[in-house]
Amino acid sequence: MRFTARKIPHPLFSLSSVSYQIRRLIVKPRHCSSLPQRIDYDDYFENQKVIPDYQYGFDAHSHYSSLIDGSTHFSLLNQIHAQLIICGLHSSGLLISKLINACSKHGEVHYARQVFDEFPHPNVVMWNATIGVFCNYNMLADVANMYVRMLAAGVKPDSFTFVKVLKGCSSVRLIELGRAVHGHIYRLGLEFDVFVQNVLVAFYAKCGRIDCAKSIFDCLSDRTIISWTAIISGYAQNEQPAEALRVFSEMMAMNVKPDWINVVSVLKACTDLDDLEDGKSLHGYVIKLGLASEEDLQIALTAMYAKCGQVIAARYLFDQMGSPNIILWNAMISGYAKNGYADEAVELFKIMVMNNIKPDSITLRAAILACAQVGSLDLARWMDNYATTSDFRNHLFVKTALIDMYAKCGSVDFARQVFDGIPCKDVVVWSAMIVGYGLHGLGREAIDLYGTMRQAGVLPNDVTFVGLLTACKNSGLVKEGWNFFHSMKGHGIEPLHPHYACVVDLLGRAGYLEEAFKFICKMPIQPRLTVWGALLAACKVHRHVKMGEYAAQHLFSINPYDTGQYVQLSNLYAAARMWNHVKNVRGVMKERGLSKDFGYSLIEVNGKLQVFRMGDNTHPMSKEIFRELSDLERRMKEAGFTLDTESNLHDLSSEEMHESLCNHSERLAIAYGLITTPSGSMLRIIKNLRMELILCSTMDRRSYTDLLERQPTFLGKKSFYQIAGAIRMLSWTRYRTIEAQGERSGDRN
């Protein structure tokens, strides 16, 4: 059972004056020598009034000491205290110190303070016990006040005092107060005490001063496992995982045996580095040491395997836990969500809910991320309803995740509803909504919202400009996007790779290939996959073979095993009818063991997702689907439909080519939607790879929507297209989604 401490007033000093008070008392101490002196713990209570045991006929101190240690309720502790007063043992410093510590276990901080204040002349052990109570409940103001009172009373601190005070300072990272205490340690000559040195290393590391922690660690003559753990965890906590692993290797070379706390810090470093090899070696060492049953170690191992993509191993460890705590649930759900196992993440979250395990904000955000990846709007609504009824319904990060989820599930309207319901919006919330508009190609709406954000006095960040540039490139707003990019430095924001990739995509889509190439050449940072990939995709659209080959060479030099880039180059050659080059690219892919990812389309009807592949005839309603598809093709021909076959396979007959194009997975999904949904409803088709809208080259955009009597929305990996003339301007030729971030993969379905 956990207890919540009751707050008490702090009558003596404020935190702002504590450092001054400590320094004043160090310079002019009362009744205590500045020379180093060891305290004889055997003499701690010799001056206290102790009632002889023979007056009671039994060992009274041992009796009441055991009663205090075994107390299970505060009411029992209160009765013991009363008995101490009746028996005259309330003047025993040993028993009162035990009583104060017991009060801490029951959350009775106020009572502990009263017991301490009623004691006439408390010694250092009682001061330490009381300071420890406040330290246990992170009541730093009381820790500081008691420490200053202790100095003012002329009681000399010992190493245990400094350990407790520094732990309190590190819990809230009060560096100045901790440095004042450090000065007092030197004044009293305790700077070489190993316990004090260890806690100083931990204090500076937790306050972000890893350089100071390292200096103290280097001066240690006796480095215990606690010393090594303090510096290793310090590096791991301060985003220096490689250094943490280096120090661990040094520790092992000195034959220092690690404990489970030490290994947890090292596993965190492996997790941050995605170092699966070292993580697995450490797992084997943990088993050899017999530490595999430690709960914190199991959590760290699960998180490590999940972060490194080994979700099967992570799930095995997760299932070994009889009653996983919330941290373990979070590690497993987040691991699934961040490694593309969205369905498994959602399923595990539902199991958690059914078992009445209360999630925290981290759990909700991971589950919302998984729902966004699934793409089901009905699932998104369920997730929204759950979050709205939870304790985190007003949590800003949860609300922001909901905005992102709805946008990625194809409903920018629901995303806007969540956005409008947030009373105090920070830049993260504004940016999430702008990115949502950008993914849907609603450039003007994104720009207008940005103007509203600036009027509200909110300054943009780098994500804001990613959203604006994405909106401009998906809407063909070249001038606006160019201006936004060049305004970033005026806001103190240095462009990153996603921003450069968006600009290349923006220029490339509009046909400004030379300008895009010059832009890449002038980049102050080395172009990566996303930049060259955007250029290659633009070259494919505009059939610029020479520049496309140049971009492909850079892509292959960065990652020679990225299937998507080979497919993109092959499609470029096919669009230019360079069939020998197409054959050569496929030969290289075969030599390197690369194969195209299978594409598919999903459509959500009545809360269920139906999956279709090209030419799929395994669906129970396949006859009705192909009948509807034939009828749709007939109506499209009557309306002026013509197939675009310029970049299709040259070794197919015209009939085979026609059948191949007409049986694309998105067309099958549309046909299924037409026969299973009422007229006028919206169809949401989800693509796993990229958009290949093989519809027509001569039709008007509005006429296609009118022909279907529906408004289809196509959800690609990164972009969304609502087929309506006033909403989304698309070229109804083989349109290729160009991603601003991430790798390209797969061919047409």
Side-chain angles (χ1 to χ4, degrees), residues 656-667:
E656 291 173 329
M657 189 179 299
H658 184 276
E659 181 180 357
S660 172
L661 293 175
C662 289
N663 290 342
H664 267 250
S665 62
E666 59 264 35
R667 292 169 62 86

Side-chain angles (χ1 to χ4, degrees), residues 486-506:
H486 287 283
S487 70
M488 290 180 62
K489 291 188 177 180
H491 294 282
I493 301 172
E494 195 67 29
L496 304 174
H497 275 96
H499 304 104
Y500 287 107
C502 282
V503 174
V504 173
D505 201 353
L506 174 75

Side-chain angles (χ1 to χ4, degrees), residues 505 509 533 536-538 540-541 564-565 567-568 571 689-693 717 721 730-731 733-739 743-746:
D505 201 353
R509 289 191 185 201
L536 176 58
K540 187 266 176 183
V541 172
Q565 311 307 342
V567 173
Q568 188 75 300
N571 288 343
L689 297 177
R690 61 187 176 101
M691 297 299 300
E692 285 277 15
L693 301 184
K717 284 180 70 177
Y721 302 94
L730 281 175
S731 171
T733 56
R734 298 166 57 85
Y735 189 82
R736 168 73 167 95
T737 299
I738 305 171
E739 302 173 2
E743 301 176 355
R744 286 122 179 102
S745 60

Side-chain angles (χ1 to χ4, degrees), residues 267 279 282-283 286 292 296-306 314 317:
L267 281 171
L282 198 58
H283 187 188
V286 164
D296 288 348
L297 262 180
Q298 289 186 323
I299 293 172
L301 284 167
T302 303
M304 185 273 296
Y305 280 117
L317 291 171

